Amino acid sequence: MKDCILAIHGGAGRLKDSQTRAPVRQDYERGLADALRAGQSILFAGGGAVDAVCAAVAVLEDNELFNAGRGAVLCSNGEVELSASVMDGNDGSVGAMAGLRRVRNPVIGARTMMGHMHGLLFGAEADARAERAGLEMTAPDYFITDRRRAQWSELRGTGAIALDHSDRDNVQGTVGAVARDAQGNLAAATSTGGLANQLPGRVGDTPIVGAGTWADNQVCAVSTTGKGDAFAQLAFARRVADLIELTGMNVPDAAAAALDDVVRVGGEGGCIVLAPDGELHQPFNTPQMLRGWITGAGQPVVGILPGEKIEIA
Ligand code: ASP
């Protein structure tokens, strides 16, 4: 039996200064800790890595502080479009959905595609499939919060795509999780509302397996956050795995090299990478990345600024 490990991110970027101090900071820390505990309870009860990453991501989707599920950013037409993907490192199966408007938890919708002949479904058909699968559906308005409406009114008509990672935005990004269960299986999942003021129909890295999400029991599990067009251009998550598998690079060097490539193509962001032996890295080249991890029966550890490790009792 292996020690269970779960790690998450809640987006890379830069929070407003006031948000990195109490009391708002505690809301982010609690949100991350709640997601870690949800995944931990599954792993601790003998559940699989796929169950754990989906549970952790679903908790972040339900938390309006993060740009996934409720509280997601708005497209230029004032509407929300959600995307998610999940991958099982044991058998390589994948599931993804994009352009969702009605399924409450996009990551659970993505999971319904695992084992299906099509790995990725888009738009109304994806919502309809989630509904047929018996998932909880909601009105599109459920996802839209006052804070996101205000952000959109500032941007609308400017043509600017407000990155979830820029100074002007109160950054709460895409969410993701990687896990190793007691059997040693790895899994990864990622979920997002995309970029604020993005064109309707835009698809970033998050629902693209190999770009935003990757898991292979022999190599690593990866989930990304950042300027998704750059991450997709590089097939980032798979690139990290290839650097480890094909060139023999160690995990931190592989993640750092891939993030350097992101900068080279004009992007920025971060990722979480978990190796089969439990080695975990959460690098980012933005000023901050919301992140955390939990091992075995331990307490959640979270961080926002570089180097932070805050244990949440
Ligand atoms: N990667 C996401 C996207 O480009 C955004 C984010 O990570 O916040 O859609």
Side-chain angles (χ1 to χ4, degrees):
M1 296 288 259
K2 307 261 191 184
D3 278 343
C4 300
I5 304 172
L6 173 72
I8 59 173
H9 67 76
R14 186 178 187 285
L15 294 169
K16 285 184 174 144
D17 288 345
S18 59
Q19 294 177 314
T20 60
R21 293 193 293 269
V24 180
R25 172 184 258 276
Q26 274 72 29
D27 292 339
Y28 288 107
E29 292 177 0
R30 252 196 313 274
L32 293 167
D34 288 349
L36 288 165
R37 288 203 183 93
Q40 179 190 42
S41 62
I42 287 173
L43 292 171
F44 210 62
V50 172
D51 290 331
V53 292
C54 289
V57 166
V59 167
L60 294 167
E61 288 175 341
D62 288 343
N63 185 332
E64 66 177 60
L65 289 175
F66 300 93
N67 174 22
R70 180 165 163 77
V73 298
L74 310 192
C75 298
S76 60
N77 62 359
E79 294 180 1
V80 163
E81 292 184 2
L82 305 163
S83 300
S85 62
V86 55
M87 184 164 184
D88 184 344
N90 184 37
D91 61 8
S93 60
V94 301
M97 284 188 171
L100 297 166
R101 303 197 54 226
R102 294 195 303 118
V103 60
R104 174 177 165 154
N105 288 111
V107 72
I108 310 297
R111 191 178 178 170
T112 66
M113 298 306 292
M114 293 179 96
H116 193 277
M117 62 184 290
H118 303 314
L120 166 62
L121 220 53
F122 182 89
E125 290 305 325
D127 273 319
R129 177 179 162 84
E131 188 162 24
R132 284 197 299 278
L135 302 197
E136 188 175 343
M137 307 304 287
T138 183
D141 273 1
Y142 159 80
F143 298 109
I144 300 178
T145 59
D146 290 347
R147 193 167 51 86
R148 291 305 190 186
R149 240 191 268 274
Q151 177 192 41
W152 177 65
S153 339
E154 263 185 48
L155 292 167
R156 98 194 256 208
T158 64
I161 308 286
L163 305 174
D164 216 22
H165 313 280
S166 67
D167 285 324
R168 67 181 296 180
D169 187 15
N170 43 359
V171 178
Q172 303 83 33
T174 292
V175 307
V178 292
R180 183 183 72 178
D181 63 27
Q183 275 65 51
N185 293 317
L186 300 181
T190 314
S191 179
T192 193
L195 303 176
N197 211 33
Q198 69 182 9
L199 290 178
R202 177 244 180 203
V203 176
D205 58 328
T206 302
I208 309 295
V209 169
T213 302
W214 187 255
D216 179 336
N217 274 4
Q218 312 310 319
V219 186
C220 63
V222 183
S223 173
T224 69
T225 170
K227 286 185 181 168
D229 303 285
F231 283 75
Q233 180 181 343
L234 294 167
F236 180 93
R238 177 62 199 244
R239 191 180 193 88
V240 173
D242 279 352
L243 287 172
I244 296 169
E245 188 178 12
L246 306 179
T247 75
M249 253 185 209
N250 64 31
V251 176
D253 286 352
L259 279 178
D260 285 349
D261 290 339
V262 167
V263 175
R264 194 172 45 75
V265 298
E268 60 177 347
C271 62
I272 52 178
V273 187
L274 179 64
D277 65 0
E279 185 180 354
L280 170 70
H281 290 276
Q282 299 177 305
F284 49 99
N285 56 28
T286 44
Q288 302 157 9
M289 183 170 82
L290 303 168
R291 62 201 186 274
W293 69 91
I294 198 160
T295 54
Q299 299 289 352
V301 179
V302 303
I304 298 176
L305 302 171
E308 272 186 343
K309 292 178 187 174
I310 304 160
E311 191 169 303
I312 309 289

